[in-house]
Amino acid sequence: EAQVTQNPRYLITVTGKKLTVTCSQNMNHEYMSWYRQDPGLGLRQIYYSMNVEVTDKGDVPEGYKVSRKEKRNFPLILESPSPNQTSLYFCASSSLRPPGETQYFGPGTRLLVL
Amino acid sequence: AQSVTQLGSHVSVSEGALVLLRCNYSSSVPPYLFWYVQYPNQGLQLLLKYTSAATLVKGINGFEAEFKKSETSFHLTKPSAHMSDAAEYFCAVTNSFGNEKLTFGTGTRLTIIP
């Protein structure tokens, strides 16, 4: 089954404690992306990757890091989480050709930073 | 630069009535447009997309949308609402040159009145 998986699904942590949210896709997609969803703001892109070792900032990258060492995985790293990073996070992937291909979303990770 | 405006953060319709969710876009290049649906505690699922073929696009669950370049709009409609349509709906835009940066609107929560 084609899917994007994220782990963990729910996470409660404290300010400053480094954490990683994993994302994996089994569709051999070149493109992967992280979004955060906040009430009234919709989804905003954090980082994206066009291929292995190619990453770029989205609209709200501050406080986040990513890496793309393998095509299937795109982890999101919060080195020193703060309460304003409490949010619902989604990973997505798609192929790059043809343009406009559907992005497939993971189930989401709900993060609470105390 | 690209952006999406969804008019109405909450829309309520009676079961069996017409559903109309509004989306206007701004893009400096020919756009590709998407509607995604999010059911409670789930990720986003593609409803339909416009990628420069037919301007009237039919999607899943009886939804359709019409791309109107002169009005820069991509409104989502369904002739007869069903209780199962209650969800949050997001309009999104990317461009036709292969840049997969997807910009979302702030979402419209649809409530169905029995």
Side-chain angles (χ1 to χ4, degrees):
Chain A
E1 179 190 354
Q3 59 181 356
V4 178
T5 56
Q6 296 178 225
N7 282 293
R9 294 289 313 278
Y10 303 91
L11 180 59
I12 301 174
T13 190
V14 295
T15 298
K17 186 176 181 182
K18 180 179 180 178
L19 66 91
T20 299
V21 184
T22 65
C23 173
S24 182
Q25 49 94 5
N26 63 1
M27 295 168 278
N28 201 36
H29 286 159
E30 303 90 352
Y31 180 89
M32 297 186 74
S33 181
W34 277 102
Y35 299 88
R36 60 178 289 174
Q37 181 181 10
D38 301 290
L41 298 178
L43 279 85
R44 294 177 292 168
Q45 190 178 50
I46 303 170
Y47 269 95
Y48 65 97
S49 170
M50 304 288 270
N51 215 324
V52 176
E53 303 291 1
V54 180
T55 63
D56 207 347
K57 296 177 180 178
D59 297 317
V60 288
E62 294 78 20
Y64 304 95
K65 285 177 58 177
V66 294
S67 68
R68 186 93 182 270
K69 293 182 169 54
E70 303 166 288
K71 196 172 186 179
R72 63 183 292 125
N73 296 323
F74 190 47
L76 179 69
I77 303 157
L78 285 71
E79 299 235 326
S80 184
S82 62
N84 64 13
Q85 292 178 298
T86 292
S87 188
L88 178 58
Y89 292 87
F90 288 101
C91 180
S93 74
S94 72
S95 62
L96 281 174
R97 289 292 180 268
E101 278 296 288
T102 301
Q103 287 199 21
Y104 293 88
F105 283 78
T109 295
R110 192 169 292 277
L111 173 64
L112 173 62
V113 183
L114 300 173
Chain B
Q2 59 194 27
S3 65
V4 168
T5 302
Q6 290 184 243
L7 289 175
S9 57
H10 292 84
V11 171
S12 296
V13 301
S14 298
E15 191 175 15
L18 172 72
V19 175
L20 170 60
L21 304 182
R22 299 179 187 275
C23 172
N24 288 90
Y25 70 91
S26 172
S27 178
S28 56
V29 298
Y32 286 172
L33 295 155
F34 304 78
W35 275 101
Y36 283 85
V37 60
Q38 184 181 31
Y39 298 105
N41 299 314
Q42 294 188 25
L44 278 73
Q45 178 185 358
L46 182 72
L47 270 180
L48 50 80
K49 63 180 180 180
Y50 166 77
T51 55
S52 75
T55 56
L56 181 62
V57 182
K58 295 188 185 298
I60 61 172
N61 302 338
F63 284 93
E64 62 181 38
E66 186 172 7
F67 172 70
K68 291 187 177 181
K69 184 178 178 180
S70 60
E71 299 177 8
T72 61
S73 68
F74 191 58
H75 301 330
L76 182 71
T77 61
K78 182 174 180 177
S80 178
H82 192 272
M83 295 299 294
S84 61
D85 295 327
E88 189 152 22
Y89 293 80
F90 293 94
C91 183
V93 63
T94 187
N95 70 63
S96 55
F97 294 123
N99 177 355
E100 292 294 333
K101 176 176 169 58
L102 197 60
T103 300
F104 284 85
T106 53
T108 298
R109 184 168 299 279
L110 177 64
T111 300
I112 310 298
I113 303 165

